[in-house]
Every structure is written in structure tokens, then in C-alpha cells.
Amino acid sequence: MTKSLNIIVCGAGISGLGAAIALKRKGHQVSVIEAASQLQESGAGIQVPPNSLRILKSWGLETKFIAKVMCPKSVAIRRYATGEVIGRTEMNPVLQDKYGFPYWFIHRADYQNILYDAAIEAGIQILLGTPIESVDEKEPTVILASGKELKADLIVGADGVRSRTRASVLKEEVEALESSQCAYSATVPVNLMNSDPNLAHLMTDVNANLWLGPDGHIMGYPIRNGEVYNLVLVSPGKASVGKWNDRADVEEMRSRHAEWEPTVQRLLSHVTTCLKWKLAYVPPLERWASKNGRVVIIGDAAHAMLPLLSQGAAVSIEDGTALAECLDRVTDLVDLSPVLRAFQDLRKSRCETISKAALSLVDLWHLHDGPEQEGRDLKMKQDMTNTVGVTSDSKSSLDMMRDKFVPWMFGYDTVRQANMFLDSHLTRKGIGEGFVSRAIEQGGFLSLGQ
Ligand SMILES: Cc1cc2nc3c(=O)[nH]c(=O)nc-3n(C[C@H](O)[C@H](O)[C@H](O)COP(=O)(O)OP(=O)(O)OC[C@H]3O[C@@H](n4cnc5c(N)ncnc54)[C@H](O)[C@@H]3O)c2cc1C
């Protein structure tokens, strides 16, 4: 019999709310503690790839999402100076046919709101305006900024890139590593887009555009049911990590793209305000679960990554789902430690591989004009179905990315993979109290580090 646990989730971002829903669906008592007094509207578009859509659909949320998402046909990869298309990634309906689920664009706040409503509807208690000061893994206890202490069987740290929970798992502070890059985010309302004959088609084509230039790239696509055109512009610079609300200088943003093609100039001429933050990533951590198995970190707290593969939110949804499957094997509190170790080993390698791949794309996408850039563009042109980019050195890397990496990323079935992993690493499944601990004692819990 699975043990119903009393679980506190720290953070009501996409990973915290997703985990809360997945855990509640398995019969656990779940509360979510969030510092912000209301869900924040700030942020830009987020992409919902098939690997997370598979999960959201299984939670019955498809209809709620469909009212808010855009369903792009493709991403056109363009040369910054001319707008010439140098590559194209087919999205819908190609990905639906290939992986069984489409690919969506949504505003981050809409995504979070849908999850929040679903969590409330499921009976999850969400305490807004309740910042956490620290987490003590011994009891385990969440210590709030107010001084109040909350105890639980398990604490899930989903408190983002500047996580407080991370320190209680690792027994030391590990800060996210700052990349050299900043992201500006801006939107252009549909009325301004439609009033400009050179831009109006960007709202109706429902394609994304990815401009690659020296030291930077720009991703643009419509969101909010076509109400606004969303722009994220990545270039070197200074800003704060995880401070999504910081206003940026619009002129500074425009001047960085002064050499970019006329469509970019027209888009930026309609921007009146923009935000800016530093792109950062959490390096591979020693562990995600405390040694006693009472605290675990997920989402950006565990593996914040650069957004070039648009997988940060998707793998965060996978985390919560995989955690719920793992906890299904717990019949006694003593099982928590080995089960969370299994969770960590199941998830860490996948998330770290995707994070590393996203980091490696920066150099490729931001090449200066010259032979390397020409070689990259030629390869992209040769393979217009290439999904996320190529490495500039060999055909086999391109083939590997297209044929293996992308299908592995998009085709991932979290529930199935989690259960296959648990089955293959346990001698006995879910029978009797403390079965995992006994399996370890009997030598049945094999090395999980793969
Ligand atoms: C306001 C905001 C805007 C964002 N905008 C973008 C964007 O435009 N594009 C993009 O790619 N990604 C954006 N992100 C990040 C993106 O949402 C995440 O990478 C991804 O969804 C994984 O989310 P997460 O839940 O792990 O972390 P986050 O989304 O960072 O959520 C963490 C949550 O924990 C809460 N929290 C943090 N510290 C504490 C504490 N001490 N006590 C209690 N609660 C705490 C935060 O308030 C937040 O709600 C944004 C995040 C936020 C919070």
C-alpha cells in the first residue's frame, strides 16, 4: 500500500504547481508555499513541447490551454542582416504526427494561472505571500520569514533559480552560474502589428522567427491568442539573475540591434517598454535529495538552464510527474531516502544533458560573420527539418542531434520511463512496508547512477 504523505511544496511557479498537481493526483496531502502575494504577470512567452504536453493532457488540462495557446506551423531561422531564411523547423502538425502531441506557445503567466486554478480545484492549499526563510531537513521543517515553522513528511523545493531549499539539500550555498548573456523581453500589441503592413503577416502566419546574428539572437512569435507579438532578444550584457521584473532601457535594446534587418527594426520601433534579466544556469549538483530523503529540489532550483532549447518549464513539469511516480513506491517513511535517490538518478542525467546542449548552442547561434557562420548556415539550409541547430564540425553531430537527441527530448514519456526505471532497479514492487529499504539490504537496489 502506497503511503499517503504530507508534502509541502516551496514555490508556486510552473514546477511547484505542476508537482503539487501530480502529487495530489496520487493521493498525497499537498500544500504550496509561495513568497509572492499574487501570481506575477511578468515574463514572456514559454514554449510547451510534446514532452510536457503529454503530461498536461493526461491531467485533463488540454481545453484550458487551447484557449490560451498558439499552435505554430514552423520556426523560420533567419539571417540577422537580411532576414533570409537559412533553416526551418517544422512544428505543427509534424510533431503531432511524430510524437502524438503538438507544440504550443503560451505566455508564462497564462501557463502558471492554468496550473494554479487546477491546483485549487484539486483541493491543494496554496499560501501566497508566505516567503520561506530556510528549510531544515532534519524534522523536516520549513521555516517561514515570519518565524513560523511548518512540518511535513517531505519538502519539495521548487523555489526557482535563487532557491533557498537548495542549501538544505546540499549543506552549502550553490549559486547559479551567470552566462555572459542577457535576455530582453518585450511585446508588441496586435493593433500596432496590424497597422504595419510589413508586420501584420507575423500575427496570421503563426510561425516563429529565430534571427541569428553575431553575439545574439532574437526569438519572436505571437501569444495570448494573437493579442501580442512576443520578443525575446538575447545578447551579452549585465542584469540580475532571476529578477524577472527589472525594467530595461528600450534605447539600449534597440541600439544593440541597429545592424539587424528591417523587420527587426520595425518590430523594435513599436516597443515602448521592456524587461531584462541575466541568463544563468545551475551547474550539475552533487545531489537533488537530502541524505535523509526528506527534502528534494526540482525545476529551476535543481537545473535552471539557458532557454535556447525551450525546455526549462517542460522538464520541470516532468520532474513533478516523475516524483509522483517514484513516491508511489513508498510504503513507509524509511523508503523515502532510496526512492528519492532513484528519482534523482532518473532525472538528473536527463536535465543536465538538456542543459548542457542548450549551453552549447550559444556559440553556434551567435557566430560572427565569416567562414564558420557560412558553414553553419549552409548546413542549416541543407537540412530544413533540423529542429534545434547543428554543431559546426561534422555531419554526424547534425545527424545525432536530429535523429537521436530531439526524438529523445520530445518523445519522452515521463510516467513510462519512471516506472521502467523503478522496475528495473527494484527487486520487488510496492509490496509490504519499507520494501525499498529491504531491497537495498538484500542487494536488490542496483547502482542507479546512469
Ligand atoms: C515572474 C517570472 C517570470 C519569468 N519569466 C520567464 C520568461 O519570460 N521566460 C522564461 O523562459 N522563463 C521565465 N521564467 C522562468 C520560468 O518560469 C522557469 O524557468 C520555469 O518555468 C521553471 O520554473 P520553476 O517553477 O522551477 O521556477 P520559477 O518560475 O522561478 O518559480 C519559483 C517560484 O518560487 C517562488 N519563490 C522563490 N523563493 C521563494 C521563497 N523564499 N519562499 C517562497 N517562494 C519562493 C517564486 O516567487 C516563484 O513563484 C520566469 C519566472 C518567474 C518567477
Side-chain angles (χ1 to χ4, degrees), residues 11 13-15 34-35 42-44 108 131-132 158-160 244 277 299-300 313 316:
I14 288 170
S15 62
E34 166 59 46
S42 61
R108 200 199 69 85
I132 288 154
D159 46 351
W244 313 98
W277 62 85
D300 276 12
S316 297

Side-chain angles (χ1 to χ4, degrees), residues 284-390:
L285 301 174
E286 193 186 328
R287 57 182 172 273
W288 287 7
S290 65
K291 285 191 172 151
N292 68 356
R294 294 307 194 90
V295 185
V296 62
I297 47 173
I298 61 168
D300 276 12
H303 52 67
M305 56 184 71
L306 300 195
L308 281 81
L309 284 169
S310 308
Q311 279 283 326
V315 291
S316 297
I317 290 287
E318 288 183 3
D319 285 346
T321 306
L323 180 63
E325 293 304 317
C326 290
L327 294 182
D328 234 12
R329 309 292 178 114
V330 170
T331 57
D332 185 277
L333 288 181
V334 294
D335 293 336
L336 273 173
S337 178
V339 161
L340 288 188
R341 211 181 74 211
F343 167 75
Q344 167 186 300
D345 291 339
L346 168 70
R347 296 298 305 158
K348 234 171 138 300
S349 56
R350 174 167 168 85
C351 296
E352 286 167 5
T353 302
I354 294 174
S355 180
K356 197 170 159 197
L359 190 61
S360 75
L361 284 178
V362 175
D363 289 344
L364 180 72
W365 285 12
H366 294 186
L367 284 172
H368 281 232
D369 291 356
E372 269 195 281
Q373 161 265 321
E374 285 165 12
R376 175 200 67 191
D377 294 0
L378 187 66
K379 283 193 173 180
M380 284 188 169
K381 270 189 189 152
Q382 282 166 351
D383 186 359
M384 284 277 185
T385 58
N386 172 35
T387 304
V388 284
V390 297

Side-chain angles (χ1 to χ4, degrees), residues 51-76:
N51 46 317
S52 53
L53 197 35
R54 178 191 292 273
I55 296 167
L56 299 168
K57 197 172 172 183
S58 76
W59 293 346
L61 297 178
E62 193 182 18
T63 324
K64 297 264 165 42
F65 273 91
I66 282 174
K68 298 285 180 186
V69 299
M70 300 297 286
C71 213
K73 282 184 277 186
S74 68
V75 179

